[in-house]
Amino acid sequence: MAPEVTTKTSIVTVLGFLLAMVTATKVDITQEWKPDFGWEITCSWSLYANDSLQSVKLSKNKQQFMIFRPENQIGSLSKKQTWNLVENIMNVECLEDENNGVSGKCVCTVEPQQPPRRDFTFSCEVSGERPYFRMDEKEITVEALVPPSDAMMAVTRQESGPASLNCTATGLPAPTIEWTVDDQRVPHNFHGTPVWNATSKLWRVWSSFTPQTEDLDKVQCTPEVAKGNQLVKGQSALYNDARRNTRSLGAFIVIILTTLVR
Ligand SMILES: *[C@@H]1O[C@H](CO)[C@@H](O)[C@H](O)[C@H]1NC(C)=O
Ligand SMILES: *[C@@H]1O[C@H](CO)[C@@H](O)[C@H](O)[C@H]1NC(C)=O
Ligand SMILES: *[C@@H]1O[C@H](CO)[C@@H](O)[C@H](O)[C@H]1NC(C)=O
């Protein structure tokens, strides 16, 4: 009899534990790269329905930089703070829902003012009120990585001799551009210095290559970023795409000229 009772008790314990997990204080963090802006990191929480919010602590790289305590902001359910740093402008807005903060969120934006070089961690610790101070904490790593854009290939025709190709892409960190002929990597002729665009917050790179005329149809350029042990690639561009673009631009100009002449 005894073992059966033990089993039943443990099943009940496990069930009770699972139920508690489902309803307990819960924190979630999401991150998103917003084009022409930077990162948006959102920490949202939900407590037991009968609990209320004691505090939300936000940390960057394990250093706490903000605490949101609703009880200190009487009559206010929100708090906004901005940090103008050399490397970025950080802005946090915390907002508790009108249920004693049983749910709510803090939205943190990070707008780079300089090329971001390092990943950073972001964590959020949420605690319910006394006497239980039930809390949860989550941490995420925000990678200084925006996958390379699709490659754009342009034909820079020369008066005489073979056609030169110019391939451009953007990304973070600065992508490298790999040229292939018939899927074989070739050393490219020349690549420009990457330029950081303060509007898009991305690096822009270009590389030019002058293939043998008979190889033109087999030429591809691909932007790549190697980070840790991952290789992130952008969409390749082909010589045929570049030629089509050039030709359709030509056709477009002809149409405009024809219209003007009429
Ligand atoms: C609040 O709700 C939880 C889960 O339903 C329960 O375990 C706890 O005893 C309740 N606390 C109070 C103070 O009512
Ligand atoms: C390639 O294109 C980029 C971007 O349009 C430009 O800045 C660069 O001068 C071009 N390079 C060559 C060799 O044409
Ligand atoms: C910089 O980025 C902005 C926004 O994405 C874009 O409109 C602009 O053309 C870029 N400037 C250069 C020089 O690439």
Side-chain angles (χ1 to χ4, degrees):
M1 275 293 125
E4 206 176 297
V5 171
T6 319
T7 315
K8 268 184 192 157
T9 317
S10 53
I11 287 174
V12 169
T13 314
V14 167
L15 278 180
F17 183 66
L18 284 179
L19 205 63
M21 290 225 312
V22 170
T23 50
T25 306
K26 200 171 173 314
V27 175
D28 261 316
I29 309 186
T30 58
Q31 60 166 308
E32 192 188 342
W33 172 263
K34 304 221 137 185
D36 294 346
F37 182 76
W39 290 281
E40 186 180 275
I41 303 151
T42 304
C43 163
S44 47
W45 67 84
S46 60
L47 315 173
Y48 280 109
N50 59 7
D51 206 344
S52 64
L53 185 65
Q54 199 263 339
S55 67
V56 179
K57 293 173 184 163
L58 301 177
S59 305
K60 196 178 167 203
N61 289 331
K62 318 253 186 224
Q63 296 233 322
Q64 186 179 313
F65 65 92
M66 181 166 163
I67 181 159
F68 174 49
R69 270 187 211 279
E71 60 182 35
N72 292 353
Q73 279 92 41
I74 293 158
S76 164
L77 296 166
S78 70
K79 182 177 181 180
K80 232 181 187 173
Q81 210 168 323
T82 302
W83 292 263
N84 273 290
L85 308 172
V86 178
E87 64 269 32
N88 57 52
I89 297 174
M90 217 163 69
N91 187 74
V92 178
E93 185 167 10
C94 292
L95 195 67
E96 56 168 337
D97 298 336
E98 293 189 24
N99 49 15
N100 285 325
V102 165
S103 58
K105 64 182 178 184
C106 289
V107 178
C108 174
T109 58
V110 178
E111 187 181 354
Q113 300 298 296
Q114 289 178 347
R117 291 177 208 285
R118 273 185 287 269
D119 301 347
F120 58 90
T121 64
F122 186 92
S123 58
C124 181
E125 185 195 295
V126 177
S127 173
E129 261 302 352
R130 57 181 66 84
Y132 300 113
F133 298 108
R134 280 178 286 234
M135 59 167 129
D136 190 20
E137 183 178 10
K138 286 273 154 63
E139 181 178 83
I140 56 163
T141 298
V142 178
E143 276 191 279
L145 176 72
V146 177
S149 65
D150 297 351
M152 293 283 290
M153 198 192 288
V155 183
T156 30
R157 289 222 174 268
Q158 288 162 344
E159 287 304 312
S160 59
S164 262
L165 306 176
N166 187 357
C167 188
T168 56
T170 60
L172 176 74
T176 53
I177 289 176
E178 296 296 339
W179 292 93
T180 58
V181 172
D182 233 353
D183 295 329
Q184 299 291 312
R185 282 202 173 190
V186 290
H188 46 75
N189 283 9
F190 192 74
H191 59 266
T193 313
V195 177
W196 193 64
N197 182 331
T199 306
S200 67
K201 326 288 182 198
L202 301 175
W203 290 95
R204 185 181 179 82
V205 295
W206 63 268
S207 170
S208 69
F209 175 53
T210 307
Q212 302 286 319
T213 309
E214 65 270 27
D215 285 340
L216 275 172
D217 286 342
K218 305 171 207 152
V219 174
Q220 268 195 30
C221 68
T222 310
E224 296 181 356
V225 164
K227 197 156 178 298
N229 52 9
Q230 55 180 335
L231 184 67
V232 189
K233 295 187 184 200
Q235 186 77 48
S236 304
L238 304 166
Y239 168 68
N240 279 332
D241 304 334
R243 205 176 40 173
R244 203 173 306 125
N245 293 343
T246 317
R247 200 191 286 144
S248 57
L249 182 65
F252 182 64
I253 291 168
V254 168
I255 290 167
I256 290 181
L257 285 177
T258 322
T259 321
L260 286 177
V261 164
R262 270 188 196 159

